[in-house]
Amino acid sequence: MDAAQVATLRALMDYEGARTAPPRGFPALPDLPGGRYTDPRFEALEHQQLWRKSWLLAGHMDELPRHGCFKQWEMAGQPVVLVHARSGEVNAFYNTCSHRGAPVVTEETGRRARLTCKYHGWVYDDEGRLVSIRDAEDYADLDFSCRSLRRIRCERYGKMIFVNFDPDAPSLTEWLGPIADEFAEFRFDQIRLVDHFVWDLDCNWKIAMEANMEVYHVPNIHPTTVAAGLNHRRNVNSFYRFGHGRMVAPGWEDGAPARNYRTASTAQGTPRLEIPGVGEIGRTCTQSYNLFPNWVSPLGPTGYFVLNFWPNGIDKSRLEVWWLGPDWGEGARPDYWDTTITYLNSVLEEDTQFGKFIQKSQESYGFEGVPLSYQEARIYHWHQQADALIGPEKIPPELRVDPVMTGDWIVPNDPRVEEMKLAVAAE
C-alpha cells in the first residue's frame, strides 16, 4: 500500500469518525429476506450454484510438501483429492475411480507414487491418467485416454490452494482482482501453516460468517477483548467486485492498549517473528478481508488466521480456522503461538456463542427480515453477489435481494473520497 493509499485511508477513518449519517448517495439497504437463512429452497440454490461456481480454499502447500503427497478434501460436499504432482503443480480430482466409482484414496493424507483404487486395482498417475488395470485382457478396446480421473480446476495464490468446480468460472487471479496486489505485503507465498482446526456450530453458516463481516457488534460482544483495541466508529469498509470486502479500523486514540491476537502476551516472552514488508496500515490497524463466499481473514505483521465457514445442513455449520505465520525454521512452533491461538479461541467463542439462539429465533414466525445499517453494508454486498451468481431468476421472488449497491461503490470507485474533497473545497 503506497503513501497515497495510506493517506486516503487515514482521511476516510477521520471521515467515518465524524459523520452523523451514512455517506451522501449511499443507497438505503432493503431488508434481507429472513428465508435466506432458513428456507430449504435457498439452501438448495446455494448448494447447486454458489458452492459450485466459487473459488474455495482447500489446502496449504505445507500439507503437500513433496510430490506424491495427497490430501482428501470434502468441505464443499464433494469427494476431492489434492495431489502434489511431479510437475510441481497441485492437481485436484474427484476421488472417484472411472471404473465403478470407488475412491482412489481412502486415507485422509499420505504419499504415493500412484493412485490405486483398492476395489479393482485401477491405477492412475499424478496427472490423473489411467496407466494400468488388472486383467486388461478381459476388456475389448478399452481406451485409457477416455478413463482419466475427472479433473477439478485448481489454482494457487502463494501457498494457498483453491478449487473451483465450474470450468467456466473466471481465473483465481481475476476473481481476487485488486485484492491479490493488496495481499502481496502479507507474503502468502512464504507464510507457514501453524495450525488448523474445525469447530462445529449449531446455526446456519451465514449467521456465523456475518458476525465476522461487521464491527457493529464489537462493543456488545467483545467489550474486554476486541473492543479494547479497535475503534469501530472509525472503521472504513470497502467493496470489491465478486462480492469481496475489506474493513480497516484503527485503535483508540486515547492510548488504550490494543489487546488482540497479535499482541496477546506470552508467559515465556519468546520474541515474535514478523513478516518483512508489512506496511503502516497492516501494522497499526485491524485490516480484515472477506472473500466471497466464505473466507474472512484479519491480517497482521506477526501472522494471521483465515476463517472459512461451511454449511453442514440448513441449521448446522462448520468453522474452519487456518493459522498462518512467518517461518520459524526447524523444530516446534514458537511458544507465543499457543497463547495467541488460545486468545483467538476466546474471541471466536464470543462470536459464536449466540449462533444457536439466533438460529432458533430466525426459525420463529416472528422473523421476517434483516434491516442492515451502513456499518453492515459488506453483508448486503455479499448477498447481492450471491444472487448474481445463483441467477435472480432462479430465486423465489420473496427471497431475492434488490441490487441497490451499484458499481459506483465498487473499488476503485469510492464516492466518500469525492465527498471529502467537496467538504474541503467548501471550507
Side-chain angles (χ1 to χ4, degrees):
M1 194 176 295
D2 62 30
Q5 292 171 313
V6 171
T8 297
L9 269 176
R10 292 291 184 191
L12 283 169
M13 291 176 200
D14 293 339
Y15 166 87
E16 294 287 356
R19 66 177 175 78
T20 57
R24 180 168 51 192
F26 191 80
L29 302 178
D31 288 10
L32 293 177
R36 295 172 75 89
Y37 303 87
T38 60
D39 194 313
R41 295 174 297 171
F42 195 77
E43 179 200 22
L45 288 169
E46 288 180 341
H47 178 72
Q48 297 160 8
Q49 303 292 329
L50 187 150
W51 297 107
R52 193 168 185 170
K53 296 180 179 179
S54 300
W55 283 103
L56 308 172
L57 178 62
H60 186 280
M61 287 302 296
D62 285 0
E63 299 177 291
L64 305 169
R66 297 180 294 169
H67 72 78
C69 290
F70 67 86
K71 169 192 172 180
Q72 284 198 64
W73 183 77
E74 297 186 359
M75 294 298 287
Q78 292 291 311
V80 177
V81 58
L82 304 175
V83 181
H84 188 157
R86 286 174 175 78
S87 66
E89 297 299 319
V90 173
N91 295 324
F93 308 104
Y94 289 99
N95 188 16
T96 306
C97 180
S98 61
H99 176 219
R100 284 173 52 190
V104 293
V105 298
T106 53
E107 303 90 343
E108 292 297 317
T109 61
R111 189 179 186 220
R112 292 185 190 170
R114 295 284 189 267
L115 303 177
T116 302
C117 175
K118 293 180 179 179
Y119 194 14
H120 294 100
W122 285 33
V123 180
Y124 304 85
D125 67 13
D126 57 22
E127 296 297 334
R129 293 176 294 233
L130 180 63
V131 294
S132 70
I133 64 173
R134 184 167 53 79
D135 299 338
E137 64 275 11
D138 288 339
Y139 286 86
D141 301 323
L142 181 68
D143 185 352
F144 277 33
S145 69
C146 299
R147 305 295 176 176
S148 298
L149 295 177
R150 287 282 305 279
R151 187 180 288 267
I152 301 164
R153 291 185 66 185
C154 184
E155 297 182 22
R156 299 200 325 243
Y157 180 82
K159 290 187 174 184
M160 313 305 286
I161 305 166
F162 291 80
V163 299
N164 193 313
F165 299 101
D166 181 8
D168 298 320
S171 68
L172 178 60
T173 299
E174 184 181 354
W175 181 260
L176 292 173
I179 290 176
D181 292 332
E182 294 175 23
F183 275 179
E185 66 185 278
F186 297 100
R187 308 295 176 94
F188 278 88
D189 59 333
Q190 301 175 22
I191 209 74
R192 186 163 174 177
L193 181 59
V194 177
D195 210 338
H196 173 245
F197 48 91
V198 177
W199 297 27
D200 289 308
L201 305 176
D202 294 321
C203 62
N204 183 272
W205 71 280
K206 296 186 295 299
I207 292 173
M209 181 178 69
E210 289 170 5
N212 292 272
M213 291 175 63
E214 44 86 4
V215 293
Y216 188 39
H217 74 285
V218 166
N220 282 65
I221 301 301
H222 308 295
T224 63
T225 53
V226 179
L230 185 151
N231 186 341
H232 78 284
R233 290 302 308 166
R234 298 182 69 214
N235 175 55
V236 178
N237 282 324
S238 300
F239 314 100
Y240 298 79
R241 190 183 177 204
F242 295 125
H244 312 316
R246 181 189 69 187
M247 61 153 284
V248 177
W252 292 95
E253 294 180 342
D254 61 8
R259 176 153 174 78
N260 55 43
Y261 74 93
R262 295 200 297 267
T263 57
S265 62
T266 63
Q268 294 83 3
T270 305
R272 288 176 174 272
L273 299 171
E274 291 203 356
I275 302 166
V278 174
E280 176 187 335
I281 296 299
R283 298 181 66 84
T284 63
C285 300
T286 297
Q287 181 175 344
S288 180
Y289 289 82
N290 62 277
L291 302 183
F292 189 93
N294 67 331
W295 159 309
V296 178
S297 59
L299 304 176
T302 58
Y304 40 86
F305 54 90
V306 174
L307 308 178
N308 280 170
F309 299 85
W310 302 98
N312 192 24
I314 196 168
D315 60 354
K316 306 286 184 181
S317 56
R318 309 191 79 190
L319 167 55
E320 185 179 28
V321 187
W322 303 80
W323 272 105
L324 306 165
D327 191 355
W328 58 83
E330 299 295 328
R333 70 191 187 195
D335 296 333
Y336 61 76
W337 277 111
D338 295 331
T339 301
T340 298
I341 292 172
T342 298
Y343 172 74
L344 174 69
N345 286 347
S346 71
V347 173
L348 290 176
E349 287 171 357
E350 292 173 345
D351 273 325
T352 58
Q353 63 181 308
F354 290 111
K356 62 182 179 181
F357 304 112
I358 295 172
Q359 181 67 43
K360 186 175 181 179
S361 295
Q362 288 192 353
E363 291 170 353
S364 73
Y365 299 142
F367 180 68
E368 296 182 353
V370 180
L372 293 174
S373 68
Y374 165 66
Q375 285 192 45
E376 301 163 290
R378 282 192 294 148
I379 295 174
Y380 198 92
H381 179 53
W382 184 97
H383 280 270
Q384 280 195 182
Q385 170 63 19
D387 281 21
L389 195 63
I390 292 170
E393 72 284 353
K394 298 183 178 74
I395 303 172
E398 68 273 18
L399 297 178
R400 294 175 192 162
V401 166
D402 293 334
V404 298
M405 292 183 66
T406 62
D408 293 346
W409 291 92
I410 304 301
V411 172
N413 301 322
D414 192 335
R416 293 171 298 185
V417 175
E418 187 61 29
E419 185 177 346
M420 288 190 299
K421 291 179 181 177
L422 292 174
V424 170
E427 293 177 354

